[in-house]
Amino acid sequence: MNENITKRNELLAQKVIKGLTSRNMSGYYAKDKEEALEKALQLIEEGSSVTMGGAMSAHEIGLVEALKKGNYNFIDRDAYEDKRAAMLLAYDADVFLSSVNAMTEDGILINIDGNSNRVSAIAQGPKKVIFIVGMNKVCDDVDGAMKRARNVAAPINAQRFNINTPCKVTGSCMDCKSPDTICCQFLMTRYSKHPGRIHVILVNDNLGF
Ligand code: SF4
């Protein structure tokens, strides 16, 4: 990462971490993917049951591979034929991994979901939720974060899942009510009732989309 971008990201991350702390959530800054992996593994006790909700960023820092190889009970929902059973196991997991579609400089997390298993597990269930967040996802405010989630993250996911939505054709949100829409639920996490439950690792890199 360019040193000027790194300097800016370090400074901005301190503001984000302060915002997260004020919301009863914990924030950490990682100077690169390797440091992010190290921090994530510090937060996950050996023997823990761990699952995830489509977190590309966790793959990108090597966390999923490390968990599969290590002494953890990694619940791989792709390996389950019964997806509902996998989702129910996720609610009772020790650790849930995710990223965000966007977040604000003052620590509000924004996530959009179609099936809604991801946003429901973020809101309630798993004992600990760890977000891996590239600094590319930090936006000025809630309005900016919602725009990013709907006009960047969701249309790219529409391409990824090859679904039939207007944004797959136009590249930006058309506020559809298509049966294929991936924008069924919008979760804004602005405070955590449970101390020590939500952890956000901010990574000095572009992760996910
Ligand atoms: S509401 Fe529809 S068009 Fe807009 S991002 Fe979601 S799926 Fe795409």
Side-chain angles (χ1 to χ4, degrees):
M1 185 63 74
N2 170 288
E3 67 180 48
N4 296 317
I5 297 173
T6 293
K7 189 66 196 165
R8 178 263 186 184
N9 284 346
E10 276 173 14
L11 293 168
L12 181 56
Q14 294 317 309
K15 183 178 178 185
V16 179
I17 290 168
K18 207 169 155 191
L20 288 163
T21 304
S22 75
R23 301 174 186 283
N24 212 20
M25 300 187 271
S26 302
Y28 315 88
Y29 174 72
K31 68 177 189 308
D32 52 29
K33 290 180 191 171
E34 290 72 27
E35 199 170 284
L37 173 61
E38 195 180 322
K39 184 66 209 171
L41 291 173
Q42 280 170 14
L43 291 169
I44 305 171
E45 278 181 37
E46 287 205 358
S48 297
S49 55
V50 186
T51 188
M52 60 191 288
M56 290 292 296
S57 303
H59 282 284
E60 288 175 63
I61 66 166
L63 180 56
V64 176
E65 200 183 343
L67 292 169
K68 283 182 178 173
K69 279 188 194 158
N71 183 24
Y72 305 92
N73 173 19
F74 185 76
I75 302 163
D76 185 355
R77 65 178 179 172
D78 293 336
Y80 279 74
E81 264 187 47
D82 184 347
K83 300 296 178 202
R84 180 172 167 77
M87 283 184 213
L88 291 175
L89 276 177
Y91 290 121
D92 198 30
D94 295 318
V95 178
F96 187 80
L97 304 175
S98 184
S99 187
V100 296
N101 293 128
M103 70 176 294
T104 67
E105 290 183 359
D106 65 348
I108 295 173
L109 315 174
I110 301 291
N111 282 287
I112 293 179
D113 210 341
N115 288 324
S116 308
N117 57 302
R118 183 171 69 110
V119 294
S120 54
I122 291 169
Q124 172 78 8
K127 295 181 187 74
K128 191 182 275 187
V129 182
I130 301 174
F131 291 94
I132 313 295
V133 180
M135 288 299 291
N136 52 310
K137 294 192 176 170
V138 178
C139 303
D140 292 2
D141 53 20
V142 168
D143 190 41
M146 287 299 287
K147 282 183 177 150
R148 184 189 193 283
R150 300 192 77 174
N151 291 302
V152 179
I156 295 173
N157 273 319
Q159 297 292 341
R160 178 178 159 216
F161 298 130
N162 193 24
I163 53 176
N164 185 22
T165 61
C167 61
K168 181 167 179 275
V169 179
T170 64
S172 64
C173 180
M174 306 299 283
D175 197 25
C176 78
K177 292 174 187 161
S178 154
D180 270 2
T181 185
I182 49 174
C183 301
C184 299
Q185 309 277 347
F186 292 70
L187 178 67
M188 181 189 297
T189 305
R190 65 171 294 281
Y191 196 89
S192 174
K193 276 279 184 198
H194 310 287
R197 181 169 184 265
I198 294 188
H199 301 260
V200 179
I201 301 174
L202 298 158
V203 190
N204 177 36
D205 210 322
N206 294 327
L207 299 179
F209 31 75

mmCIF file of all heavy atoms in Angstrom, residues 48-85:
data_model
loop_
_atom_site.group_PDB
_atom_site.id
_atom_site.type_symbol
_atom_site.label_atom_id
_atom_site.label_comp_id
_atom_site.label_asym_id
_atom_site.label_seq_id
_atom_site.Cartn_x
_atom_site.Cartn_y
_atom_site.Cartn_z
ATOM 1 N N SER A 48 -12.845 -23.166 19.425
ATOM 2 C CA SER A 48 -14.116 -22.454 19.184
ATOM 3 C C SER A 48 -14.823 -22.996 17.946
ATOM 4 O O SER A 48 -14.179 -23.414 16.973
ATOM 5 C CB SER A 48 -13.854 -20.960 18.927
ATOM 6 O OG SER A 48 -13.285 -20.350 20.037
ATOM 7 N N SER A 49 -16.163 -22.923 17.992
ATOM 8 C CA SER A 49 -16.922 -23.156 16.759
ATOM 9 C C SER A 49 -17.015 -21.817 16.032
ATOM 10 O O SER A 49 -17.311 -20.787 16.636
ATOM 11 C CB SER A 49 -18.307 -23.718 17.065
ATOM 12 O OG SER A 49 -19.000 -22.870 17.955
ATOM 13 N N VAL A 50 -16.700 -21.865 14.732
ATOM 14 C CA VAL A 50 -16.607 -20.624 13.950
ATOM 15 C C VAL A 50 -17.387 -20.806 12.665
ATOM 16 O O VAL A 50 -17.277 -21.829 11.991
ATOM 17 C CB VAL A 50 -15.135 -20.298 13.586
ATOM 18 C CG1 VAL A 50 -15.046 -18.932 12.908
ATOM 19 C CG2 VAL A 50 -14.233 -20.352 14.810
ATOM 20 N N THR A 51 -18.162 -19.798 12.321
ATOM 21 C CA THR A 51 -18.849 -19.821 11.029
ATOM 22 C C THR A 51 -18.826 -18.425 10.432
ATOM 23 O O THR A 51 -18.296 -17.492 11.027
ATOM 24 C CB THR A 51 -20.275 -20.395 11.175
ATOM 25 O OG1 THR A 51 -20.839 -20.562 9.880
ATOM 26 C CG2 THR A 51 -21.152 -19.487 12.011
ATOM 27 N N MET A 52 -19.398 -18.294 9.276
ATOM 28 C CA MET A 52 -19.270 -17.006 8.600
ATOM 29 C C MET A 52 -20.434 -16.748 7.659
ATOM 30 O O MET A 52 -21.179 -17.655 7.296
ATOM 31 C CB MET A 52 -17.952 -16.947 7.838
ATOM 32 C CG MET A 52 -17.811 -18.015 6.771
ATOM 33 S SD MET A 52 -16.130 -18.090 6.148
ATOM 34 C CE MET A 52 -16.085 -16.576 5.209
ATOM 35 N N GLY A 53 -20.555 -15.498 7.296
ATOM 36 C CA GLY A 53 -21.614 -15.101 6.370
ATOM 37 C C GLY A 53 -21.040 -14.438 5.132
ATOM 38 O O GLY A 53 -20.979 -13.221 5.052
ATOM 39 N N GLY A 54 -20.576 -15.267 4.215
ATOM 40 C CA GLY A 54 -20.107 -14.740 2.928
ATOM 41 C C GLY A 54 -19.033 -13.670 3.037
ATOM 42 O O GLY A 54 -19.072 -12.675 2.316
ATOM 43 N N ALA A 55 -18.074 -13.865 3.946
ATOM 44 C CA ALA A 55 -17.068 -12.825 4.174
ATOM 45 C C ALA A 55 -15.860 -13.014 3.262
ATOM 46 O O ALA A 55 -14.911 -13.719 3.593
ATOM 47 C CB ALA A 55 -16.641 -12.835 5.639
ATOM 48 N N MET A 56 -15.892 -12.367 2.100
ATOM 49 C CA MET A 56 -14.752 -12.428 1.179
ATOM 50 C C MET A 56 -13.474 -11.943 1.853
ATOM 51 O O MET A 56 -12.393 -12.472 1.638
ATOM 52 C CB MET A 56 -15.022 -11.505 -0.029
ATOM 53 C CG MET A 56 -16.097 -11.986 -0.962
ATOM 54 S SD MET A 56 -15.627 -13.463 -1.864
ATOM 55 C CE MET A 56 -14.265 -12.847 -2.838
ATOM 56 N N SER A 57 -13.621 -10.917 2.693
ATOM 57 C CA SER A 57 -12.441 -10.314 3.327
ATOM 58 C C SER A 57 -11.720 -11.314 4.236
ATOM 59 O O SER A 57 -10.490 -11.298 4.338
ATOM 60 C CB SER A 57 -12.846 -9.072 4.126
ATOM 61 O OG SER A 57 -13.495 -8.162 3.273
ATOM 62 N N ALA A 58 -12.496 -12.191 4.902
ATOM 63 C CA ALA A 58 -11.882 -13.216 5.762
ATOM 64 C C ALA A 58 -11.067 -14.190 4.910
ATOM 65 O O ALA A 58 -10.004 -14.662 5.322
ATOM 66 C CB ALA A 58 -12.953 -13.954 6.554
ATOM 67 N N HIS A 59 -11.556 -14.477 3.703
ATOM 68 C CA HIS A 59 -10.782 -15.314 2.778
ATOM 69 C C HIS A 59 -9.516 -14.588 2.349
ATOM 70 O O HIS A 59 -8.433 -15.162 2.300
ATOM 71 C CB HIS A 59 -11.611 -15.630 1.523
ATOM 72 C CG HIS A 59 -12.630 -16.707 1.721
ATOM 73 N ND1 HIS A 59 -12.306 -18.039 1.781
ATOM 74 C CD2 HIS A 59 -13.975 -16.635 1.866
ATOM 75 C CE1 HIS A 59 -13.410 -18.758 1.957
ATOM 76 N NE2 HIS A 59 -14.438 -17.925 2.016
ATOM 77 N N GLU A 60 -9.672 -13.312 2.041
ATOM 78 C CA GLU A 60 -8.555 -12.557 1.464
ATOM 79 C C GLU A 60 -7.379 -12.391 2.424
ATOM 80 O O GLU A 60 -6.241 -12.261 1.984
ATOM 81 C CB GLU A 60 -9.034 -11.182 0.985
ATOM 82 C CG GLU A 60 -9.885 -11.267 -0.269
ATOM 83 C CD GLU A 60 -10.458 -9.927 -0.683
ATOM 84 O OE1 GLU A 60 -9.687 -9.021 -1.009
ATOM 85 O OE2 GLU A 60 -11.688 -9.784 -0.659
ATOM 86 N N ILE A 61 -7.645 -12.368 3.725
ATOM 87 C CA ILE A 61 -6.509 -12.252 4.668
ATOM 88 C C ILE A 61 -5.974 -13.634 5.075
ATOM 89 O O ILE A 61 -5.058 -13.732 5.881
ATOM 90 C CB ILE A 61 -6.865 -11.420 5.923
ATOM 91 C CG1 ILE A 61 -7.919 -12.119 6.794
ATOM 92 C CG2 ILE A 61 -7.278 -10.000 5.548
ATOM 93 C CD1 ILE A 61 -8.047 -11.509 8.190
ATOM 94 N N GLY A 62 -6.585 -14.698 4.554
ATOM 95 C CA GLY A 62 -6.102 -16.053 4.854
ATOM 96 C C GLY A 62 -6.708 -16.654 6.106
ATOM 97 O O GLY A 62 -6.268 -17.710 6.580
ATOM 98 N N LEU A 63 -7.746 -16.006 6.641
ATOM 99 C CA LEU A 63 -8.309 -16.463 7.912
ATOM 100 C C LEU A 63 -9.072 -17.784 7.772
ATOM 101 O O LEU A 63 -8.943 -18.675 8.618
ATOM 102 C CB LEU A 63 -9.227 -15.368 8.488
ATOM 103 C CG LEU A 63 -9.914 -15.661 9.810
ATOM 104 C CD1 LEU A 63 -8.912 -16.031 10.903
ATOM 105 C CD2 LEU A 63 -10.753 -14.448 10.255
ATOM 106 N N VAL A 64 -9.830 -17.919 6.709
ATOM 107 C CA VAL A 64 -10.635 -19.142 6.547
ATOM 108 C C VAL A 64 -9.720 -20.353 6.428
ATOM 109 O O VAL A 64 -9.935 -21.385 7.077
ATOM 110 C CB VAL A 64 -11.570 -19.012 5.320
ATOM 111 C CG1 VAL A 64 -12.336 -20.306 5.097
ATOM 112 C CG2 VAL A 64 -12.537 -17.843 5.526
ATOM 113 N N GLU A 65 -8.676 -20.198 5.637
ATOM 114 C CA GLU A 65 -7.714 -21.301 5.462
ATOM 115 C C GLU A 65 -7.059 -21.655 6.807
ATOM 116 O O GLU A 65 -6.927 -22.836 7.157
ATOM 117 C CB GLU A 65 -6.657 -20.857 4.452
ATOM 118 C CG GLU A 65 -5.909 -22.000 3.831
ATOM 119 C CD GLU A 65 -4.820 -21.496 2.894
ATOM 120 O OE1 GLU A 65 -4.841 -20.330 2.486
ATOM 121 O OE2 GLU A 65 -3.937 -22.322 2.598
ATOM 122 N N ALA A 66 -6.678 -20.621 7.559
ATOM 123 C CA ALA A 66 -6.018 -20.860 8.858
ATOM 124 C C ALA A 66 -6.962 -21.575 9.819
ATOM 125 O O ALA A 66 -6.540 -22.471 10.568
ATOM 126 C CB ALA A 66 -5.564 -19.523 9.459
ATOM 127 N N LEU A 67 -8.229 -21.224 9.806
ATOM 128 C CA LEU A 67 -9.191 -21.858 10.711
ATOM 129 C C LEU A 67 -9.439 -23.313 10.323
ATOM 130 O O LEU A 67 -9.564 -24.194 11.181
ATOM 131 C CB LEU A 67 -10.507 -21.084 10.710
ATOM 132 C CG LEU A 67 -10.441 -19.685 11.347
ATOM 133 C CD1 LEU A 67 -11.708 -18.902 11.058
ATOM 134 C CD2 LEU A 67 -10.215 -19.785 12.851
ATOM 135 N N LYS A 68 -9.495 -23.549 9.007
ATOM 136 C CA LYS A 68 -9.728 -24.926 8.536
ATOM 137 C C LYS A 68 -8.557 -25.837 8.898
ATOM 138 O O LYS A 68 -8.736 -27.002 9.206
ATOM 139 C CB LYS A 68 -9.951 -24.928 7.016
ATOM 140 C CG LYS A 68 -11.351 -24.455 6.624
ATOM 141 C CD LYS A 68 -11.538 -24.526 5.119
ATOM 142 C CE LYS A 68 -12.934 -24.120 4.709
ATOM 143 N NZ LYS A 68 -13.089 -24.026 3.252
ATOM 144 N N LYS A 69 -7.358 -25.262 8.854
ATOM 145 C CA LYS A 69 -6.159 -26.063 9.163
ATOM 146 C C LYS A 69 -5.940 -26.208 10.664
ATOM 147 O O LYS A 69 -5.289 -27.143 11.119
ATOM 148 C CB LYS A 69 -4.918 -25.366 8.584
ATOM 149 C CG LYS A 69 -4.695 -25.608 7.119
ATOM 150 C CD LYS A 69 -3.332 -25.014 6.739
ATOM 151 C CE LYS A 69 -3.175 -24.898 5.247
ATOM 152 N NZ LYS A 69 -2.161 -23.905 4.893
ATOM 153 N N GLY A 70 -6.432 -25.241 11.426
ATOM 154 C CA GLY A 70 -6.111 -25.174 12.855
ATOM 155 C C GLY A 70 -7.060 -25.961 13.731
ATOM 156 O O GLY A 70 -7.940 -26.692 13.259
ATOM 157 N N ASN A 71 -6.889 -25.759 15.033
ATOM 158 C CA ASN A 71 -7.669 -26.487 16.028
ATOM 159 C C ASN A 71 -8.976 -25.743 16.344
ATOM 160 O O ASN A 71 -9.159 -25.185 17.431
ATOM 161 C CB ASN A 71 -6.809 -26.658 17.294
ATOM 162 C CG ASN A 71 -7.529 -27.460 18.348
ATOM 163 O OD1 ASN A 71 -8.434 -28.247 18.049
ATOM 164 N ND2 ASN A 71 -7.170 -27.241 19.602
ATOM 165 N N TYR A 72 -9.848 -25.714 15.333
ATOM 166 C CA TYR A 72 -11.124 -25.012 15.473
ATOM 167 C C TYR A 72 -12.220 -25.892 14.879
ATOM 168 O O TYR A 72 -11.956 -26.707 13.994
ATOM 169 C CB TYR A 72 -11.102 -23.673 14.708
ATOM 170 C CG TYR A 72 -9.964 -22.774 15.108
ATOM 171 C CD1 TYR A 72 -8.743 -22.817 14.414
ATOM 172 C CD2 TYR A 72 -10.082 -21.887 16.173
ATOM 173 C CE1 TYR A 72 -7.669 -22.024 14.779
ATOM 174 C CE2 TYR A 72 -9.012 -21.075 16.541
ATOM 175 C CZ TYR A 72 -7.820 -21.147 15.844
ATOM 176 O OH TYR A 72 -6.771 -20.354 16.210
ATOM 177 N N ASN A 73 -13.436 -25.666 15.329
ATOM 178 C CA ASN A 73 -14.578 -26.337 14.711
ATOM 179 C C ASN A 73 -15.173 -25.374 13.693
ATOM 180 O O ASN A 73 -16.066 -24.589 14.012
ATOM 181 C CB ASN A 73 -15.599 -26.701 15.807
ATOM 182 C CG ASN A 73 -16.882 -27.247 15.216
ATOM 183 O OD1 ASN A 73 -16.912 -27.682 14.061
ATOM 184 N ND2 ASN A 73 -17.958 -27.199 15.989
ATOM 185 N N PHE A 74 -14.610 -25.413 12.473
ATOM 186 C CA PHE A 74 -15.084 -24.495 11.437
ATOM 187 C C PHE A 74 -16.324 -25.075 10.767
ATOM 188 O O PHE A 74 -16.280 -26.154 10.188
ATOM 189 C CB PHE A 74 -13.979 -24.232 10.399
ATOM 190 C CG PHE A 74 -14.393 -23.200 9.384
ATOM 191 C CD1 PHE A 74 -14.415 -21.853 9.714
ATOM 192 C CD2 PHE A 74 -14.793 -23.577 8.112
ATOM 193 C CE1 PHE A 74 -14.818 -20.891 8.800
ATOM 194 C CE2 PHE A 74 -15.202 -22.621 7.188
ATOM 195 C CZ PHE A 74 -15.208 -21.273 7.530
ATOM 196 N N ILE A 75 -17.430 -24.362 10.879
ATOM 197 C CA ILE A 75 -18.696 -24.825 10.296
ATOM 198 C C ILE A 75 -18.794 -24.253 8.885
ATOM 199 O O ILE A 75 -19.042 -23.064 8.704
ATOM 200 C CB ILE A 75 -19.891 -24.347 11.160
ATOM 201 C CG1 ILE A 75 -19.745 -24.862 12.597
ATOM 202 C CG2 ILE A 75 -21.212 -24.801 10.545
ATOM 203 C CD1 ILE A 75 -20.623 -24.123 13.605
ATOM 204 N N ASP A 76 -18.536 -25.105 7.899
ATOM 205 C CA ASP A 76 -18.517 -24.656 6.502
ATOM 206 C C ASP A 76 -19.910 -24.880 5.901
ATOM 207 O O ASP A 76 -20.267 -25.994 5.549
ATOM 208 C CB ASP A 76 -17.454 -25.460 5.743
ATOM 209 C CG ASP A 76 -17.296 -24.971 4.316
ATOM 210 O OD1 ASP A 76 -18.069 -24.088 3.897
ATOM 211 O OD2 ASP A 76 -16.392 -25.494 3.627
ATOM 212 N N ARG A 77 -20.665 -23.805 5.781
ATOM 213 C CA ARG A 77 -22.059 -23.973 5.338
ATOM 214 C C ARG A 77 -22.139 -24.518 3.909
ATOM 215 O O ARG A 77 -23.119 -25.150 3.533
ATOM 216 C CB ARG A 77 -22.831 -22.664 5.465
ATOM 217 C CG ARG A 77 -22.332 -21.588 4.561
ATOM 218 C CD ARG A 77 -23.154 -20.327 4.697
ATOM 219 N NE ARG A 77 -22.595 -19.328 3.796
ATOM 220 C CZ ARG A 77 -23.135 -18.180 3.530
ATOM 221 N NH1 ARG A 77 -24.278 -17.853 4.093
ATOM 222 N NH2 ARG A 77 -22.579 -17.324 2.701
ATOM 223 N N ASP A 78 -21.081 -24.276 3.102
ATOM 224 C CA ASP A 78 -21.100 -24.796 1.731
ATOM 225 C C ASP A 78 -21.042 -26.323 1.713
ATOM 226 O O ASP A 78 -21.417 -26.952 0.728
ATOM 227 C CB ASP A 78 -19.918 -24.234 0.922
ATOM 228 C CG ASP A 78 -20.075 -22.732 0.722
ATOM 229 O OD1 ASP A 78 -21.225 -22.246 0.778
ATOM 230 O OD2 ASP A 78 -19.050 -22.050 0.533
ATOM 231 N N ALA A 79 -20.553 -26.904 2.818
ATOM 232 C CA ALA A 79 -20.431 -28.361 2.876
ATOM 233 C C ALA A 79 -21.746 -29.023 3.314
ATOM 234 O O ALA A 79 -21.862 -30.244 3.306
ATOM 235 C CB ALA A 79 -19.314 -28.740 3.836
ATOM 236 N N TYR A 80 -22.708 -28.199 3.712
ATOM 237 C CA TYR A 80 -23.982 -28.748 4.207
ATOM 238 C C TYR A 80 -25.020 -28.782 3.086
ATOM 239 O O TYR A 80 -25.267 -27.775 2.436
ATOM 240 C CB TYR A 80 -24.548 -27.864 5.335
ATOM 241 C CG TYR A 80 -23.920 -28.121 6.680
ATOM 242 C CD1 TYR A 80 -22.640 -27.677 6.956
ATOM 243 C CD2 TYR A 80 -24.603 -28.814 7.676
ATOM 244 C CE1 TYR A 80 -22.046 -27.907 8.186
ATOM 245 C CE2 TYR A 80 -24.017 -29.050 8.910
ATOM 246 C CZ TYR A 80 -22.737 -28.591 9.155
ATOM 247 O OH TYR A 80 -22.157 -28.818 10.370
ATOM 248 N N GLU A 81 -25.617 -29.936 2.882
ATOM 249 C CA GLU A 81 -26.728 -29.983 1.929
ATOM 250 C C GLU A 81 -27.938 -29.266 2.513
ATOM 251 O O GLU A 81 -28.668 -28.578 1.829
ATOM 252 C CB GLU A 81 -27.088 -31.443 1.627
ATOM 253 C CG GLU A 81 -26.412 -31.925 0.369
ATOM 254 C CD GLU A 81 -26.884 -33.275 -0.034
ATOM 255 O OE1 GLU A 81 -28.108 -33.510 -0.038
ATOM 256 O OE2 GLU A 81 -26.003 -34.112 -0.329
ATOM 257 N N ASP A 82 -28.121 -29.455 3.812
ATOM 258 C CA ASP A 82 -29.245 -28.824 4.499
ATOM 259 C C ASP A 82 -28.802 -27.426 4.960
ATOM 260 O O ASP A 82 -28.207 -27.260 6.021
ATOM 261 C CB ASP A 82 -29.645 -29.695 5.706
ATOM 262 C CG ASP A 82 -30.869 -29.144 6.419
ATOM 263 O OD1 ASP A 82 -31.253 -27.993 6.147
ATOM 264 O OD2 ASP A 82 -31.425 -29.879 7.256
ATOM 265 N N LYS A 83 -29.086 -26.439 4.118
ATOM 266 C CA LYS A 83 -28.613 -25.075 4.404
ATOM 267 C C LYS A 83 -29.272 -24.507 5.663
ATOM 268 O O LYS A 83 -28.660 -23.730 6.396
ATOM 269 C CB LYS A 83 -28.913 -24.144 3.219
ATOM 270 C CG LYS A 83 -28.244 -24.572 1.927
ATOM 271 C CD LYS A 83 -26.721 -24.516 2.032
ATOM 272 C CE LYS A 83 -26.051 -24.987 0.749
ATOM 273 N NZ LYS A 83 -24.670 -25.423 0.951
ATOM 274 N N ARG A 84 -30.506 -24.912 5.892
ATOM 275 C CA ARG A 84 -31.184 -24.413 7.095
ATOM 276 C C ARG A 84 -30.478 -24.927 8.363
ATOM 277 O O ARG A 84 -30.284 -24.183 9.320
ATOM 278 C CB ARG A 84 -32.663 -24.834 7.086
ATOM 279 C CG ARG A 84 -33.402 -24.345 8.315
ATOM 280 C CD ARG A 84 -34.911 -24.570 8.238
ATOM 281 N NE ARG A 84 -35.510 -24.379 9.545
ATOM 282 C CZ ARG A 84 -35.752 -23.207 10.098
ATOM 283 N NH1 ARG A 84 -35.472 -22.097 9.457
ATOM 284 N NH2 ARG A 84 -36.297 -23.113 11.300
ATOM 285 N N ALA A 85 -30.061 -26.184 8.326
ATOM 286 C CA ALA A 85 -29.340 -26.745 9.480
ATOM 287 C C ALA A 85 -28.048 -25.964 9.713
ATOM 288 O O ALA A 85 -27.690 -25.647 10.857
ATOM 289 C CB ALA A 85 -29.034 -28.220 9.237
#
